[in-house]
Amino acid sequence: MKTNYKLQGTPNSPVLMFSNSLGADLTMWDELVPYLLPYFRVLQYDTRGHGQSELTDGPYTIEQLGQDVIDLLDTLKIDKVYFCGLSMGGLIGQYLGINHPDRLHKLIISNTDTKIGTVERWNDRIKTINEQGMQAIVDATMEKWFTESYHQTHPSRVAEMKKIFLANRPEGYTACCSAIGNADFRADIKQIQPETLIITGDEDAVTNVAQAENMQKEIAGAELKVFHARHLPSTELPAYYAETLINFIVGEDTFDRGMHVRRTVLGDAHVDRANGNKNEFNTDFQEFISHYAWGEIWTRPGLPKHSRSLITLAMLIPLNKKAEFKMHVKAAFNNGVTKDEIKEVILQSGIYCGLPAANDAMHSAEEVFTDLGIEY
């Protein structure tokens, strides 16, 4: 099965994977991505029969859609992910939490339930789509997805989501309706082992707060977050949704966030070595670095880490801080910077920072390449 996906972010960051709701596609998560890239590689994919993923014969099952996730991770050689699924994606998340807990760091299930609706209700929807097409339910779906205020303040985004919904292939949509209608995790939800966050909306008429609270009682240690939203809070409140995910996965404390990003950029070995060398004299300085440099600046969504690496290298060259420059050359590879890009930064610095400084930088970069076994 060919699965359409998009993977963004720096190679040394953990992967946060998103699974779309019925009738949407991977773009439903796009507004969240800039907030998340300082911390994660973000993996979005289209569920089978949706978006650009392959349309196979239906009906589908949640087990089948869950196996698609495992197959995609195997193809990408990704061992474990943080997984966030909404509605149908939340059912897929429950399946993974029950059957493949070893592939999950943590689990976020949003606007979902252990049993969504009845088989009869879903069969009625399938009948409507088969007879009248996607147009028959699009307006009712948009009403369920977004609050009245969002319809008024973000009409263009609602129009985009409506267009995406109407672009669905009816065969794929109805095949997934069957998967949802037959999914039932009421007896198995207690088996979910990964640390779990449940999200819902206080105006969600599809999967309501009471259902989310029941799920929280069934999953040991699960947390619950209620948004002022309907069925798609990730689209309606992207900044708040992203912040909620970061708080759950990384932590709310600026220092914890800084340490997370510091490790993704500099590597665990470097950070562990620095922490191991802490003493009464330098501890405050080490914590200052993690809190302000890494927790306040490197976590900002305005620039990708790739760009921050290039800028950092360019600024270090005229300062002639060889040890710091070499450290950030190594870090640059963790941020997806290439050897050729490092060369271009050094050449540019030769014009604006002076040839002696650029010459030293060139030699320092070559030393790092040698240490890392990179041919140059």
Side-chain angles (χ1 to χ4, degrees):
M1 211 284 290
K2 181 182 179 298
T3 299
N4 181 55
Y5 70 91
K6 179 165 58 175
L7 180 60
Q8 304 173 75
T10 54
N12 205 39
S13 298
V15 177
L16 173 54
M17 186 176 190
F18 288 101
S19 183
N20 59 273
S21 67
L22 176 70
D25 63 13
L26 59 78
T27 64
M28 67 172 281
W29 308 102
D30 281 355
E31 289 99 333
L32 278 68
V33 174
Y35 301 102
L36 299 171
L37 285 179
Y39 302 93
F40 311 106
R41 297 174 79 193
V42 176
L43 174 57
Q44 302 157 258
Y45 80 102
D46 289 328
T47 304
R48 181 188 293 247
H50 283 63
Q52 300 302 311
S53 283
E54 185 177 351
L55 172 63
T56 61
D57 292 338
Y60 306 153
T61 66
I62 290 298
E63 291 77 8
Q64 187 178 20
L65 302 182
Q67 187 59 46
D68 288 343
V69 172
I70 300 300
D71 292 343
L72 178 58
L73 295 181
D74 289 344
T75 298
L76 297 176
K77 294 181 171 54
I78 297 173
D79 182 40
K80 300 181 75 169
V81 297
Y82 297 97
F83 186 90
C84 178
L86 190 148
S87 194
M88 175 175 65
L91 289 171
I92 294 171
Q94 291 174 66
Y95 170 80
L96 296 173
I98 294 166
N99 296 280
H100 297 278
D102 57 313
R103 305 303 294 268
L104 306 179
H105 294 296
K106 294 185 180 183
L107 174 64
I108 302 98
I109 47 178
S110 182
N111 302 81
T112 192
D113 195 10
T114 50
K115 175 68 177 172
I116 302 177
T118 64
V119 174
E120 292 75 21
R121 171 190 154 192
W122 287 105
N123 284 340
D124 286 343
R125 183 179 296 195
I126 292 169
K127 184 174 184 292
T128 299
I129 297 299
N130 287 337
E131 293 177 353
Q132 303 176 45
M134 301 300 297
Q135 184 68 44
I137 64 169
V138 65
D139 290 334
T141 300
M142 293 304 110
E143 183 179 349
K144 291 175 181 176
W145 279 5
F146 305 115
T147 61
E148 291 182 11
S149 61
Y150 190 79
H151 277 273
Q152 295 171 3
T153 57
H154 296 79
S156 61
R157 183 56 171 146
V158 174
E160 288 176 5
M161 294 301 291
K162 185 174 182 178
K163 183 178 180 180
I164 290 168
F165 185 84
L166 289 172
N168 272 284
R169 296 158 290 185
E171 299 87 350
Y173 183 90
T174 55
C176 284
C177 286
S178 295
I180 297 172
N182 288 294
D184 187 347
F185 294 114
R186 287 175 292 186
D188 300 320
I189 191 172
K190 291 180 183 291
Q191 299 176 30
I192 292 180
Q193 299 174 10
E195 189 176 347
T196 302
L197 170 66
I198 302 165
I199 296 174
T200 194
D202 59 3
E203 292 189 18
D204 189 349
V206 181
T207 52
N208 58 41
V209 174
Q211 292 168 320
E213 290 173 341
N214 287 334
M215 294 178 70
Q216 183 187 20
K217 294 175 184 177
E218 294 295 312
I219 303 173
E223 300 178 27
L224 173 62
K225 189 75 172 179
V226 180
F227 285 51
H228 180 52
R230 289 187 181 171
H231 198 53
L232 259 62
S234 56
T235 304
E236 187 156 353
L237 299 167
Y240 187 41
Y241 199 98
E243 183 75 5
T244 299
L245 298 185
I246 296 167
N247 287 343
F248 174 65
I249 297 172
V250 180
E252 299 183 28
D253 188 78
T254 304
F255 179 82
D256 292 337
R257 295 184 177 197
M259 285 298 292
H260 173 93
V261 175
R262 189 179 180 186
R263 287 183 178 279
T264 66
V265 175
L266 300 180
D268 287 333
H270 176 92
V271 176
D272 289 342
R273 188 164 56 249
N275 286 336
N277 291 332
K278 286 199 299 188
N279 53 47
E280 185 177 353
F281 180 73
N282 66 27
T283 293
D284 290 344
F285 182 73
Q286 286 293 326
E287 293 184 355
F288 169 83
I289 293 172
S290 292
H291 187 99
Y292 289 102
W294 298 105
E296 295 281 359
I297 301 302
W298 278 84
T299 56
R300 292 175 62 86
L303 284 173
K305 286 194 287 187
H306 178 278
S307 297
R308 291 190 187 277
S309 270
L310 295 176
I311 292 168
T312 301
L313 291 175
M315 290 190 292
L316 286 171
I317 289 171
L319 293 174
N320 197 26
K321 302 298 181 182
K322 183 174 181 178
E324 193 80 3
F325 178 78
K326 291 177 68 174
M327 179 186 75
H328 277 280
V329 170
K330 292 179 181 178
F333 290 111
N334 289 334
N335 281 342
V337 175
T338 67
K339 178 182 62 177
D340 288 340
E341 288 173 322
I342 294 172
K343 178 177 69 176
E344 293 302 323
V345 168
I346 296 173
L347 288 171
Q348 190 81 4
S349 73
I351 299 173
Y352 293 97
C353 303
L355 291 176
N359 186 54
D360 284 347
M362 187 65 74
H363 289 307
S364 294
E366 289 177 344
E367 290 174 9
V368 173
F369 297 160
T370 298
D371 291 342
L372 296 177
I374 298 172
E375 294 184 5
Y376 60 90

